[in-house]
Amino acid sequence: MPSIEPSTVAASYARAVLSGAPDAAGAPGAAAGSEGAAGPGAWASPLDRLPYTEVRALWDSVIGGGADAAADAAGGAPGLRGGDPHAGLRVGDAIKPGSLHVLGHVVLTCASLAEAAEAAVRYHPLVSQAGTVTVHRGAGTTRIRYRPTVDPATMHPQQVEAVVTGMVRAARWIAGDGWAPLSASFTHARTGSAEPYARILGCPIAFGAPENAITVGNRDLDRPRAPHDPELGALHRDYADRLLRELATSAPLAERVRQWLDRAPLEGAGPADAGRGVHLSPRSLRRALQQEGTSWRALLDEARHRRARRLLETTDLPLDRMAPLVGLSGATALVRAFTRWEGVTPGTYRRVNHAPRG
């Protein structure tokens, strides 16, 4: 599915961010209820997606401590001072396969770190459209680079650190907990004590560097890892490719909701049902439709109108049997709604427009 704002983020990753809150004990903490951030209860499906601005608000809560306040004595970068400088390390190091959407499950089936890196390049948009992962192979080493694609002013350095640390953690799923890259680098200044970086990443780290990246030796990258499951990997990749196609489509959200409504049972249909169909939480769905100048109520009303016309034109169903198919309570409600839509009663419309059966 396309981004609704400049980028969207998988709800599964947002849950991982919330689990990094200092008061979280294996579940989202107080940050989940922060004003401006959708609570995880709204994310009924791991396929749900959130606008990047909502995920940034979650990070504000997880970092805490006045993330935008100036405190030069802390030695941190702008946008971080006063908050938790190591929140990104904590979130990234705790990443689980399910946190990375289907990408996490693809990684688990890879035969080598090189294969896992290529999977990250291809499928990272399923996790987040707020940045890109690229692989740059040299004569003896390879750099796996992360570059934010949103306005840098809207992304905390801790968010970047979470992605890069998550790369290291994901590599350890298949290479073992003792694995470490040759080096890591970040474009921002160091935001806290050096010890947690060295302990968690396990390698030399450069700050104020030209890129956010980890560097891996090519022999290490290409080494076969066992066991791996190519058949299961192929299934995961087929599924991931289908989701990528949906993500890349250019159809506006309102049009995709219309298409979903045209296929769905309308009796009892609500925004949560449509949200599951387009992989958005109900809250994000309502907000995105509002940004497109429409609403769930308006689209549902249009769908009822289209279905009522089609049933009147192509069937002989009595109105009391048609009404539930249109999502209305009974024949009286159908007559009232149809007269509002067309200016004539259903009976009059059917007499004029009913197609004779061959």
Short mmCIF file of all heavy atoms in Angstrom, two decimals, residues 199-268:
data_model
loop_
_atom_site.label_atom_id
_atom_site.label_comp_id
_atom_site.label_asym_id
_atom_site.label_seq_id
_atom_site.Cartn_x
_atom_site.Cartn_y
_atom_site.Cartn_z
N ARG A 199 29.55 -2.10 24.03
CA ARG A 199 29.04 -3.36 24.58
C ARG A 199 27.99 -3.98 23.66
O ARG A 199 28.00 -5.20 23.44
CB ARG A 199 28.46 -3.12 25.97
CG ARG A 199 27.73 -4.32 26.55
CD ARG A 199 27.37 -4.08 28.01
NE ARG A 199 26.76 -2.80 28.25
CZ ARG A 199 25.46 -2.53 28.04
NH1 ARG A 199 24.65 -3.49 27.60
NH2 ARG A 199 24.97 -1.33 28.30
N ILE A 200 27.09 -3.18 23.14
CA ILE A 200 25.98 -3.73 22.35
C ILE A 200 26.40 -4.02 20.91
O ILE A 200 26.08 -5.08 20.36
CB ILE A 200 24.78 -2.76 22.39
CG1 ILE A 200 24.17 -2.76 23.80
CG2 ILE A 200 23.73 -3.15 21.34
CD1 ILE A 200 23.06 -1.74 24.00
N LEU A 201 27.15 -3.12 20.29
CA LEU A 201 27.53 -3.32 18.90
C LEU A 201 28.78 -4.18 18.77
O LEU A 201 28.99 -4.83 17.74
CB LEU A 201 27.73 -1.97 18.22
CG LEU A 201 26.46 -1.12 18.10
CD1 LEU A 201 26.77 0.25 17.52
CD2 LEU A 201 25.41 -1.82 17.24
N GLY A 202 29.67 -4.15 19.78
CA GLY A 202 30.82 -5.04 19.79
C GLY A 202 31.90 -4.72 18.77
O GLY A 202 32.61 -5.63 18.33
N CYS A 203 32.02 -3.45 18.39
CA CYS A 203 32.99 -3.07 17.37
C CYS A 203 33.37 -1.61 17.52
O CYS A 203 32.69 -0.86 18.24
CB CYS A 203 32.40 -3.31 15.97
SG CYS A 203 30.96 -2.26 15.62
N PRO A 204 34.42 -1.15 16.87
CA PRO A 204 34.73 0.29 16.87
C PRO A 204 33.61 1.10 16.23
O PRO A 204 32.99 0.65 15.26
CB PRO A 204 36.01 0.37 16.03
CG PRO A 204 36.59 -1.00 16.07
CD PRO A 204 35.43 -1.93 16.14
N ILE A 205 33.33 2.27 16.79
CA ILE A 205 32.21 3.09 16.32
C ILE A 205 32.70 4.50 16.07
O ILE A 205 33.41 5.09 16.90
CB ILE A 205 31.07 3.12 17.36
CG1 ILE A 205 30.60 1.69 17.65
CG2 ILE A 205 29.90 3.95 16.86
CD1 ILE A 205 30.05 1.50 19.02
N ALA A 206 32.33 5.06 14.92
CA ALA A 206 32.67 6.43 14.56
C ALA A 206 31.41 7.28 14.56
O ALA A 206 30.38 6.87 14.01
CB ALA A 206 33.34 6.47 13.19
N PHE A 207 31.50 8.46 15.17
CA PHE A 207 30.40 9.42 15.15
C PHE A 207 30.80 10.62 14.30
O PHE A 207 31.99 10.89 14.10
CB PHE A 207 30.04 9.85 16.56
CG PHE A 207 29.44 8.75 17.40
CD1 PHE A 207 30.24 7.93 18.16
CD2 PHE A 207 28.08 8.54 17.39
CE1 PHE A 207 29.70 6.90 18.92
CE2 PHE A 207 27.51 7.52 18.13
CZ PHE A 207 28.33 6.70 18.91
N GLY A 208 29.80 11.36 13.80
CA GLY A 208 30.10 12.46 12.90
C GLY A 208 30.68 11.97 11.59
O GLY A 208 31.45 12.67 10.93
N ALA A 209 30.30 10.75 11.18
CA ALA A 209 30.84 10.12 9.98
C ALA A 209 30.00 10.50 8.75
O ALA A 209 28.90 11.05 8.88
CB ALA A 209 30.86 8.60 10.16
N PRO A 210 30.47 10.19 7.56
CA PRO A 210 29.69 10.52 6.36
C PRO A 210 28.41 9.72 6.20
O PRO A 210 27.53 10.13 5.44
CB PRO A 210 30.68 10.21 5.21
CG PRO A 210 32.02 10.21 5.83
CD PRO A 210 31.82 9.71 7.23
N GLU A 211 28.30 8.56 6.86
CA GLU A 211 27.11 7.73 6.65
C GLU A 211 26.80 6.91 7.90
O GLU A 211 27.66 6.70 8.76
CB GLU A 211 27.33 6.79 5.46
CG GLU A 211 28.48 5.84 5.63
CD GLU A 211 28.80 5.05 4.37
OE1 GLU A 211 28.25 5.37 3.30
OE2 GLU A 211 29.59 4.09 4.47
N ASN A 212 25.55 6.46 7.98
CA ASN A 212 25.13 5.52 9.01
C ASN A 212 25.28 4.12 8.41
O ASN A 212 24.60 3.79 7.44
CB ASN A 212 23.66 5.75 9.39
CG ASN A 212 23.39 7.19 9.78
OD1 ASN A 212 23.93 7.68 10.77
ND2 ASN A 212 22.56 7.88 9.02
N ALA A 213 26.17 3.32 8.97
CA ALA A 213 26.46 2.04 8.31
C ALA A 213 27.15 1.08 9.27
O ALA A 213 27.69 1.47 10.31
CB ALA A 213 27.36 2.27 7.09
N ILE A 214 27.11 -0.20 8.88
CA ILE A 214 27.99 -1.20 9.48
C ILE A 214 28.88 -1.73 8.36
O ILE A 214 28.46 -1.79 7.20
CB ILE A 214 27.23 -2.34 10.18
CG1 ILE A 214 26.30 -3.08 9.21
CG2 ILE A 214 26.45 -1.81 11.37
CD1 ILE A 214 25.64 -4.31 9.80
N THR A 215 30.10 -2.11 8.72
CA THR A 215 31.04 -2.66 7.75
C THR A 215 31.32 -4.11 8.12
O THR A 215 31.58 -4.42 9.29
CB THR A 215 32.36 -1.86 7.74
OG1 THR A 215 32.07 -0.50 7.39
CG2 THR A 215 33.34 -2.44 6.73
N VAL A 216 31.23 -4.98 7.12
CA VAL A 216 31.39 -6.42 7.34
C VAL A 216 32.41 -6.94 6.33
O VAL A 216 32.41 -6.54 5.16
CB VAL A 216 30.04 -7.17 7.15
CG1 VAL A 216 30.20 -8.65 7.46
CG2 VAL A 216 28.97 -6.54 8.03
N GLY A 217 33.28 -7.85 6.77
CA GLY A 217 34.22 -8.49 5.85
C GLY A 217 33.48 -9.36 4.85
O GLY A 217 32.51 -10.04 5.20
N ASN A 218 33.92 -9.34 3.62
CA ASN A 218 33.22 -10.10 2.58
C ASN A 218 33.21 -11.60 2.84
O ASN A 218 32.22 -12.28 2.58
CB ASN A 218 33.84 -9.82 1.21
CG ASN A 218 33.52 -8.42 0.71
OD1 ASN A 218 32.65 -7.75 1.25
ND2 ASN A 218 34.24 -7.98 -0.32
N ARG A 219 34.33 -12.13 3.36
CA ARG A 219 34.35 -13.57 3.66
C ARG A 219 33.34 -13.91 4.75
O ARG A 219 32.66 -14.94 4.68
CB ARG A 219 35.76 -13.99 4.08
CG ARG A 219 36.78 -13.90 2.95
CD ARG A 219 38.15 -14.34 3.41
NE ARG A 219 38.18 -15.75 3.78
CZ ARG A 219 39.25 -16.38 4.25
NH1 ARG A 219 40.40 -15.70 4.42
NH2 ARG A 219 39.20 -17.65 4.57
N ASP A 220 33.21 -13.04 5.73
CA ASP A 220 32.22 -13.23 6.80
C ASP A 220 30.81 -13.11 6.22
O ASP A 220 29.91 -13.89 6.56
CB ASP A 220 32.46 -12.18 7.88
CG ASP A 220 31.64 -12.43 9.14
OD1 ASP A 220 31.13 -13.55 9.32
OD2 ASP A 220 31.51 -11.49 9.95
N LEU A 221 30.64 -12.15 5.33
CA LEU A 221 29.32 -11.90 4.73
C LEU A 221 28.87 -13.10 3.90
O LEU A 221 27.68 -13.46 3.91
CB LEU A 221 29.39 -10.65 3.86
CG LEU A 221 28.09 -9.94 3.51
CD1 LEU A 221 27.47 -9.29 4.74
CD2 LEU A 221 28.32 -8.90 2.43
N ASP A 222 29.81 -13.71 3.18
CA ASP A 222 29.45 -14.79 2.24
C ASP A 222 29.46 -16.18 2.86
O ASP A 222 29.04 -17.14 2.23
CB ASP A 222 30.44 -14.78 1.06
CG ASP A 222 30.37 -13.50 0.25
OD1 ASP A 222 29.30 -12.85 0.28
OD2 ASP A 222 31.37 -13.13 -0.39
N ARG A 223 29.95 -16.31 4.10
CA ARG A 223 30.06 -17.62 4.73
C ARG A 223 28.69 -18.30 4.85
O ARG A 223 27.74 -17.71 5.35
CB ARG A 223 30.69 -17.50 6.11
CG ARG A 223 30.89 -18.84 6.82
CD ARG A 223 31.58 -18.67 8.17
NE ARG A 223 32.89 -18.06 7.99
CZ ARG A 223 33.25 -16.90 8.55
NH1 ARG A 223 32.41 -16.23 9.29
NH2 ARG A 223 34.47 -16.42 8.34
N PRO A 224 28.56 -19.54 4.40
CA PRO A 224 27.27 -20.24 4.53
C PRO A 224 26.90 -20.42 6.01
O PRO A 224 27.76 -20.72 6.85
CB PRO A 224 27.51 -21.59 3.87
CG PRO A 224 28.67 -21.36 2.97
CD PRO A 224 29.54 -20.36 3.66
N ARG A 225 25.65 -20.18 6.31
CA ARG A 225 25.15 -20.35 7.68
C ARG A 225 24.15 -21.49 7.69
O ARG A 225 23.27 -21.59 6.84
CB ARG A 225 24.47 -19.06 8.16
CG ARG A 225 25.31 -17.81 7.96
CD ARG A 225 26.44 -17.70 8.95
NE ARG A 225 27.29 -16.54 8.67
CZ ARG A 225 28.25 -16.13 9.47
NH1 ARG A 225 28.50 -16.77 10.59
NH2 ARG A 225 28.99 -15.08 9.14
N ALA A 226 24.27 -22.36 8.66
CA ALA A 226 23.37 -23.51 8.73
C ALA A 226 22.71 -23.52 10.12
O ALA A 226 23.32 -23.10 11.10
CB ALA A 226 24.15 -24.80 8.51
N PRO A 227 21.50 -24.02 10.21
CA PRO A 227 20.70 -24.48 9.07
C PRO A 227 19.92 -23.31 8.45
O PRO A 227 19.72 -22.29 9.09
CB PRO A 227 19.73 -25.48 9.72
CG PRO A 227 19.53 -24.91 11.10
CD PRO A 227 20.84 -24.28 11.50
N HIS A 228 19.50 -23.48 7.22
CA HIS A 228 18.58 -22.52 6.60
C HIS A 228 17.54 -23.31 5.82
O HIS A 228 17.74 -24.49 5.52
CB HIS A 228 19.32 -21.52 5.71
CG HIS A 228 19.85 -22.12 4.44
ND1 HIS A 228 21.01 -22.86 4.41
CD2 HIS A 228 19.38 -22.09 3.17
CE1 HIS A 228 21.24 -23.26 3.17
NE2 HIS A 228 20.26 -22.81 2.40
N ASP A 229 16.44 -22.66 5.51
CA ASP A 229 15.31 -23.36 4.91
C ASP A 229 14.91 -22.64 3.63
O ASP A 229 14.12 -21.69 3.66
CB ASP A 229 14.14 -23.40 5.90
CG ASP A 229 13.00 -24.29 5.43
OD1 ASP A 229 12.89 -24.51 4.22
OD2 ASP A 229 12.22 -24.75 6.29
N PRO A 230 15.45 -23.02 2.48
CA PRO A 230 15.15 -22.30 1.24
C PRO A 230 13.69 -22.37 0.83
O PRO A 230 13.15 -21.41 0.25
CB PRO A 230 16.05 -22.98 0.20
CG PRO A 230 16.40 -24.31 0.79
CD PRO A 230 16.42 -24.11 2.27
N GLU A 231 13.01 -23.49 1.11
CA GLU A 231 11.60 -23.59 0.71
C GLU A 231 10.74 -22.64 1.52
O GLU A 231 9.88 -21.94 0.98
CB GLU A 231 11.12 -25.03 0.86
CG GLU A 231 11.78 -26.00 -0.12
CD GLU A 231 11.20 -27.40 -0.03
OE1 GLU A 231 10.27 -27.61 0.80
OE2 GLU A 231 11.68 -28.28 -0.77
N LEU A 232 10.97 -22.60 2.84
CA LEU A 232 10.22 -21.66 3.66
C LEU A 232 10.58 -20.23 3.28
O LEU A 232 9.72 -19.34 3.23
CB LEU A 232 10.51 -21.90 5.14
CG LEU A 232 9.76 -21.03 6.15
CD1 LEU A 232 8.25 -21.19 5.99
CD2 LEU A 232 10.20 -21.38 7.57
N GLY A 233 11.86 -20.01 3.00
CA GLY A 233 12.28 -18.68 2.58
C GLY A 233 11.57 -18.23 1.32
O GLY A 233 11.19 -17.06 1.19
N ALA A 234 11.38 -19.13 0.36
CA ALA A 234 10.69 -18.78 -0.88
C ALA A 234 9.24 -18.39 -0.60
O ALA A 234 8.71 -17.45 -1.22
CB ALA A 234 10.75 -19.95 -1.86
N LEU A 235 8.59 -19.09 0.33
CA LEU A 235 7.22 -18.73 0.68
C LEU A 235 7.16 -17.33 1.30
O LEU A 235 6.29 -16.52 0.95
CB LEU A 235 6.65 -19.76 1.66
CG LEU A 235 6.37 -21.15 1.11
CD1 LEU A 235 5.94 -22.09 2.23
CD2 LEU A 235 5.30 -21.10 0.02
N HIS A 236 8.09 -17.06 2.22
CA HIS A 236 8.12 -15.74 2.84
C HIS A 236 8.38 -14.64 1.80
O HIS A 236 7.77 -13.57 1.84
CB HIS A 236 9.20 -15.68 3.92
CG HIS A 236 8.84 -16.43 5.18
ND1 HIS A 236 7.58 -16.39 5.73
CD2 HIS A 236 9.59 -17.21 5.99
CE1 HIS A 236 7.57 -17.13 6.83
NE2 HIS A 236 8.76 -17.64 7.01
N ARG A 237 9.29 -14.91 0.87
CA ARG A 237 9.61 -13.90 -0.14
C ARG A 237 8.43 -13.66 -1.09
O ARG A 237 8.19 -12.52 -1.50
CB ARG A 237 10.86 -14.33 -0.92
CG ARG A 237 12.15 -14.18 -0.12
CD ARG A 237 13.33 -14.80 -0.87
NE ARG A 237 14.53 -14.77 -0.08
CZ ARG A 237 15.42 -13.77 -0.08
NH1 ARG A 237 15.20 -12.72 -0.85
NH2 ARG A 237 16.50 -13.83 0.68
N ASP A 238 7.72 -14.71 -1.45
CA ASP A 238 6.54 -14.53 -2.30
C ASP A 238 5.53 -13.63 -1.61
O ASP A 238 4.94 -12.73 -2.24
CB ASP A 238 5.91 -15.88 -2.62
CG ASP A 238 6.71 -16.69 -3.62
OD1 ASP A 238 7.60 -16.11 -4.27
OD2 ASP A 238 6.44 -17.91 -3.75
N TYR A 239 5.32 -13.87 -0.32
CA TYR A 239 4.39 -13.05 0.44
C TYR A 239 4.89 -11.62 0.55
O TYR A 239 4.14 -10.65 0.34
CB TYR A 239 4.21 -13.66 1.83
CG TYR A 239 3.29 -12.91 2.75
CD1 TYR A 239 2.02 -12.52 2.34
CD2 TYR A 239 3.68 -12.59 4.05
CE1 TYR A 239 1.17 -11.83 3.20
CE2 TYR A 239 2.84 -11.91 4.91
CZ TYR A 239 1.59 -11.53 4.48
OH TYR A 239 0.76 -10.85 5.32
N ALA A 240 6.19 -11.46 0.83
CA ALA A 240 6.77 -10.12 0.95
C ALA A 240 6.67 -9.37 -0.38
O ALA A 240 6.39 -8.16 -0.40
CB ALA A 240 8.21 -10.21 1.41
N ASP A 241 6.90 -10.04 -1.48
CA ASP A 241 6.81 -9.39 -2.79
C ASP A 241 5.39 -8.91 -3.07
O ASP A 241 5.18 -7.83 -3.64
CB ASP A 241 7.27 -10.34 -3.90
CG ASP A 241 8.78 -10.52 -3.93
OD1 ASP A 241 9.50 -9.61 -3.47
OD2 ASP A 241 9.24 -11.58 -4.40
N ARG A 242 4.41 -9.72 -2.67
CA ARG A 242 3.02 -9.28 -2.87
C ARG A 242 2.73 -8.03 -2.06
O ARG A 242 2.10 -7.08 -2.54
CB ARG A 242 2.05 -10.41 -2.48
CG ARG A 242 0.59 -10.00 -2.61
CD ARG A 242 -0.34 -11.18 -2.43
NE ARG A 242 -0.34 -11.71 -1.08
CZ ARG A 242 -1.05 -11.16 -0.09
NH1 ARG A 242 -1.76 -10.06 -0.27
NH2 ARG A 242 -1.04 -11.72 1.11
N LEU A 243 3.20 -8.01 -0.79
CA LEU A 243 2.98 -6.83 0.04
C LEU A 243 3.71 -5.61 -0.52
O LEU A 243 3.20 -4.48 -0.44
CB LEU A 243 3.43 -7.11 1.47
CG LEU A 243 2.61 -8.15 2.23
CD1 LEU A 243 3.20 -8.36 3.62
CD2 LEU A 243 1.15 -7.74 2.33
N LEU A 244 4.90 -5.81 -1.09
CA LEU A 244 5.62 -4.69 -1.71
C LEU A 244 4.83 -4.11 -2.87
O LEU A 244 4.79 -2.90 -3.06
CB LEU A 244 6.98 -5.16 -2.21
CG LEU A 244 8.16 -5.12 -1.24
CD1 LEU A 244 9.42 -5.56 -1.97
CD2 LEU A 244 8.35 -3.73 -0.65
N ARG A 245 4.23 -4.98 -3.66
CA ARG A 245 3.42 -4.48 -4.79
C ARG A 245 2.26 -3.65 -4.28
O ARG A 245 1.93 -2.60 -4.87
CB ARG A 245 2.93 -5.65 -5.65
CG ARG A 245 4.04 -6.33 -6.45
CD ARG A 245 3.46 -7.28 -7.48
NE ARG A 245 2.78 -8.42 -6.88
CZ ARG A 245 3.38 -9.56 -6.56
NH1 ARG A 245 4.69 -9.71 -6.79
NH2 ARG A 245 2.69 -10.55 -6.04
N GLU A 246 1.63 -4.10 -3.22
CA GLU A 246 0.53 -3.32 -2.64
C GLU A 246 1.04 -1.99 -2.10
O GLU A 246 0.40 -0.95 -2.25
CB GLU A 246 -0.14 -4.11 -1.52
CG GLU A 246 -0.86 -5.36 -1.98
CD GLU A 246 -1.45 -6.14 -0.82
OE1 GLU A 246 -1.43 -5.62 0.31
OE2 GLU A 246 -1.93 -7.27 -1.04
N LEU A 247 2.22 -2.01 -1.49
CA LEU A 247 2.80 -0.81 -0.91
C LEU A 247 3.12 0.22 -1.97
O LEU A 247 3.03 1.43 -1.75
CB LEU A 247 4.06 -1.17 -0.13
CG LEU A 247 4.65 -0.12 0.80
CD1 LEU A 247 3.72 0.13 1.98
CD2 LEU A 247 6.02 -0.54 1.28
N ALA A 248 3.52 -0.28 -3.14
CA ALA A 248 3.99 0.62 -4.20
C ALA A 248 2.86 1.16 -5.08
O ALA A 248 3.10 2.03 -5.91
CB ALA A 248 5.01 -0.11 -5.07
N THR A 249 1.66 0.65 -4.94
CA THR A 249 0.59 1.10 -5.81
C THR A 249 0.33 2.59 -5.61
O THR A 249 0.47 3.13 -4.52
CB THR A 249 -0.71 0.31 -5.54
OG1 THR A 249 -1.73 0.79 -6.41
CG2 THR A 249 -1.19 0.48 -4.12
N SER A 250 -0.06 3.24 -6.68
CA SER A 250 -0.26 4.69 -6.62
C SER A 250 -1.70 5.09 -6.31
O SER A 250 -2.02 6.27 -6.26
CB SER A 250 0.16 5.33 -7.95
OG SER A 250 -0.62 4.80 -9.02
N ALA A 251 -2.57 4.11 -6.13
CA ALA A 251 -3.98 4.43 -5.88
C ALA A 251 -4.14 5.17 -4.56
O ALA A 251 -3.57 4.76 -3.55
CB ALA A 251 -4.81 3.16 -5.86
N PRO A 252 -4.89 6.27 -4.53
CA PRO A 252 -5.15 6.96 -3.27
C PRO A 252 -5.88 6.03 -2.29
O PRO A 252 -6.55 5.08 -2.69
CB PRO A 252 -6.04 8.14 -3.67
CG PRO A 252 -5.86 8.30 -5.15
CD PRO A 252 -5.55 6.92 -5.67
N LEU A 253 -5.75 6.33 -1.02
CA LEU A 253 -6.38 5.50 0.00
C LEU A 253 -7.88 5.43 -0.21
O LEU A 253 -8.48 4.36 -0.09
CB LEU A 253 -6.06 6.03 1.39
CG LEU A 253 -6.75 5.29 2.53
CD1 LEU A 253 -6.27 3.85 2.61
CD2 LEU A 253 -6.54 6.00 3.85
N ALA A 254 -8.52 6.56 -0.51
CA ALA A 254 -9.98 6.55 -0.67
C ALA A 254 -10.40 5.56 -1.75
O ALA A 254 -11.40 4.85 -1.61
CB ALA A 254 -10.48 7.96 -1.01
N GLU A 255 -9.63 5.50 -2.84
CA GLU A 255 -9.96 4.57 -3.91
C GLU A 255 -9.78 3.13 -3.46
O GLU A 255 -10.58 2.25 -3.80
CB GLU A 255 -9.10 4.85 -5.14
CG GLU A 255 -9.40 3.94 -6.33
CD GLU A 255 -10.86 3.98 -6.76
OE1 GLU A 255 -11.50 5.05 -6.62
OE2 GLU A 255 -11.37 2.93 -7.22
N ARG A 256 -8.75 2.85 -2.66
CA ARG A 256 -8.55 1.49 -2.18
C ARG A 256 -9.63 1.09 -1.19
O ARG A 256 -10.06 -0.06 -1.15
CB ARG A 256 -7.15 1.36 -1.56
CG ARG A 256 -6.07 1.43 -2.63
CD ARG A 256 -4.68 1.19 -2.06
NE ARG A 256 -4.28 2.27 -1.18
CZ ARG A 256 -4.01 2.12 0.10
NH1 ARG A 256 -4.12 0.95 0.68
NH2 ARG A 256 -3.62 3.16 0.82
N VAL A 257 -10.11 2.05 -0.39
CA VAL A 257 -11.22 1.75 0.51
C VAL A 257 -12.49 1.49 -0.30
O VAL A 257 -13.27 0.59 0.03
CB VAL A 257 -11.42 2.89 1.52
CG1 VAL A 257 -12.68 2.67 2.35
CG2 VAL A 257 -10.20 3.00 2.44
N ARG A 258 -12.70 2.26 -1.36
CA ARG A 258 -13.87 2.00 -2.23
C ARG A 258 -13.81 0.59 -2.80
O ARG A 258 -14.82 -0.12 -2.84
CB ARG A 258 -13.91 3.03 -3.37
CG ARG A 258 -14.31 4.43 -2.95
CD ARG A 258 -14.53 5.31 -4.18
NE ARG A 258 -14.82 6.68 -3.77
CZ ARG A 258 -13.91 7.65 -3.71
NH1 ARG A 258 -12.64 7.40 -4.07
NH2 ARG A 258 -14.24 8.86 -3.32
N GLN A 259 -12.63 0.21 -3.27
CA GLN A 259 -12.49 -1.14 -3.83
C GLN A 259 -12.76 -2.20 -2.77
O GLN A 259 -13.39 -3.23 -3.05
CB GLN A 259 -11.08 -1.31 -4.40
CG GLN A 259 -10.81 -0.44 -5.62
CD GLN A 259 -9.35 -0.48 -6.05
OE1 GLN A 259 -8.54 -1.24 -5.50
NE2 GLN A 259 -9.00 0.33 -7.04
N TRP A 260 -12.29 -1.97 -1.55
CA TRP A 260 -12.54 -2.92 -0.46
C TRP A 260 -14.03 -3.00 -0.16
O TRP A 260 -14.59 -4.10 -0.01
CB TRP A 260 -11.77 -2.49 0.80
CG TRP A 260 -11.96 -3.44 1.93
CD1 TRP A 260 -11.24 -4.57 2.20
CD2 TRP A 260 -12.97 -3.36 2.95
NE1 TRP A 260 -11.74 -5.20 3.32
CE2 TRP A 260 -12.80 -4.48 3.80
CE3 TRP A 260 -14.00 -2.46 3.22
CZ2 TRP A 260 -13.62 -4.71 4.90
CZ3 TRP A 260 -14.82 -2.69 4.31
CH2 TRP A 260 -14.62 -3.80 5.14
N LEU A 261 -14.69 -1.85 -0.10
CA LEU A 261 -16.12 -1.83 0.19
C LEU A 261 -16.94 -2.53 -0.90
O LEU A 261 -17.95 -3.17 -0.61
CB LEU A 261 -16.60 -0.38 0.34
CG LEU A 261 -16.24 0.31 1.66
CD1 LEU A 261 -16.43 1.82 1.55
CD2 LEU A 261 -17.08 -0.24 2.80
N ASP A 262 -16.50 -2.42 -2.15
CA ASP A 262 -17.23 -3.07 -3.23
C ASP A 262 -17.18 -4.59 -3.14
O ASP A 262 -18.03 -5.28 -3.71
CB ASP A 262 -16.68 -2.61 -4.59
CG ASP A 262 -17.15 -1.21 -4.97
OD1 ASP A 262 -18.14 -0.74 -4.37
OD2 ASP A 262 -16.52 -0.59 -5.84
N ARG A 263 -16.19 -5.12 -2.42
CA ARG A 263 -16.07 -6.58 -2.28
C ARG A 263 -16.60 -7.09 -0.94
O ARG A 263 -16.84 -8.28 -0.79
CB ARG A 263 -14.60 -7.00 -2.41
CG ARG A 263 -13.94 -6.67 -3.71
CD ARG A 263 -12.56 -7.31 -3.80
NE ARG A 263 -11.68 -6.86 -2.74
CZ ARG A 263 -10.84 -5.82 -2.84
NH1 ARG A 263 -10.80 -5.12 -3.96
NH2 ARG A 263 -10.07 -5.49 -1.83
N ALA A 264 -16.74 -6.20 0.03
CA ALA A 264 -16.99 -6.62 1.41
C ALA A 264 -18.50 -6.70 1.71
O ALA A 264 -19.30 -6.00 1.09
CB ALA A 264 -16.35 -5.63 2.38
N PRO A 265 -18.89 -7.55 2.67
CA PRO A 265 -20.25 -7.48 3.19
C PRO A 265 -20.44 -6.12 3.88
O PRO A 265 -19.63 -5.73 4.72
CB PRO A 265 -20.31 -8.63 4.20
CG PRO A 265 -19.12 -9.49 3.90
CD PRO A 265 -18.09 -8.59 3.33
N LEU A 266 -21.51 -5.41 3.55
CA LEU A 266 -21.70 -4.07 4.11
C LEU A 266 -22.44 -4.08 5.43
O LEU A 266 -22.40 -3.10 6.18
CB LEU A 266 -22.44 -3.19 3.10
CG LEU A 266 -21.69 -2.90 1.79
CD1 LEU A 266 -22.52 -1.97 0.90
CD2 LEU A 266 -20.33 -2.31 2.08
N GLU A 267 -23.12 -5.17 5.73
CA GLU A 267 -23.85 -5.24 6.99
C GLU A 267 -22.85 -5.28 8.15
O GLU A 267 -22.03 -6.19 8.28
CB GLU A 267 -24.74 -6.48 7.03
CG GLU A 267 -25.65 -6.52 8.25
CD GLU A 267 -26.63 -7.69 8.20
OE1 GLU A 267 -26.38 -8.63 7.43
OE2 GLU A 267 -27.63 -7.65 8.94
N GLY A 268 -22.86 -4.25 8.98
CA GLY A 268 -21.97 -4.18 10.13
C GLY A 268 -20.55 -3.75 9.80
O GLY A 268 -19.68 -3.76 10.68
#
